[in-house]
Amino acid sequence: MTALGRSRQRDRGSATIWALTVGLVVVLFGVAMAQVGVAITARRSAQVAADLGALAGAARAIEGAASACGRASAYVVANGAELRDCHLDGLDLIVTAAVPTRFGTATAAARAGPVA
C-alpha cells in the first residue's frame, strides 16, 4: 500500500465528525438566540404593563396614592406582570413592573401624569 492510500485510510469518517460538530454548533446558536428572544419579549411585556398601569393609575392620582396604585396594580397584573413599585411624585405616578423568566426577571418603569 502506498503512503497516499494509508493517509486516506486514516481520514476515513472524519467528514462525519465535522458535520456533527457543525450541526451541534448551529443548534447551540439557535438555542442561545431563542433565549435572547425570550428576554427581549419579557422586557417588552414588562414595559407595556408598566406603561398601561401608569396611565390607568394616573387618572386616579388626584384621589391619592392608594387609589392610583390600586388601579395601576390591576392593569399591571392583567398584563401578566407583577407590580414591584408604585408611588406618586406630585401628580405623576411612577410604576415599576416585572416579568419573571427562567434566567432572571425583566423589569421596566413608567411615569404618567398631567401634561405640564
Side-chain angles (χ1 to χ4, degrees), residues 95-109:
V95 173
T96 304
V99 174
T101 66
R102 274 197 278 172
F103 300 106
T105 303
T107 60

Side-chain angles (χ1 to χ4, degrees), residues 10-111:
R10 281 185 294 183
D11 289 342
R12 208 166 201 195
S14 66
T16 304
I17 300 299
W18 280 107
L20 288 172
T21 302
V22 168
L24 179 63
V25 167
V26 168
V27 168
L28 290 175
F29 181 75
V31 168
M33 290 299 101
Q35 294 306 316
V36 168
V38 166
I40 290 170
T41 302
R43 172 68 169 91
R44 289 185 178 163
S45 294
Q47 188 64 58
V48 167
D51 288 342
L52 292 175
L55 287 170
R60 295 204 176 161
I62 197 80
E63 299 171 12
S67 179
C69 288
R71 179 77 169 198
S73 177
Y75 275 76
V76 168
V77 170
N79 281 283
E82 67 180 56
L83 185 67
R84 284 287 171 94
D85 185 39
C86 179
H87 64 276
L88 279 175
D89 181 16
L91 288 177
D92 287 350
L93 185 67
I94 302 166
V95 173
T96 304
V99 174
T101 66
R102 274 197 278 172
F103 300 106
T105 303
T107 60
R111 168 182 232 126

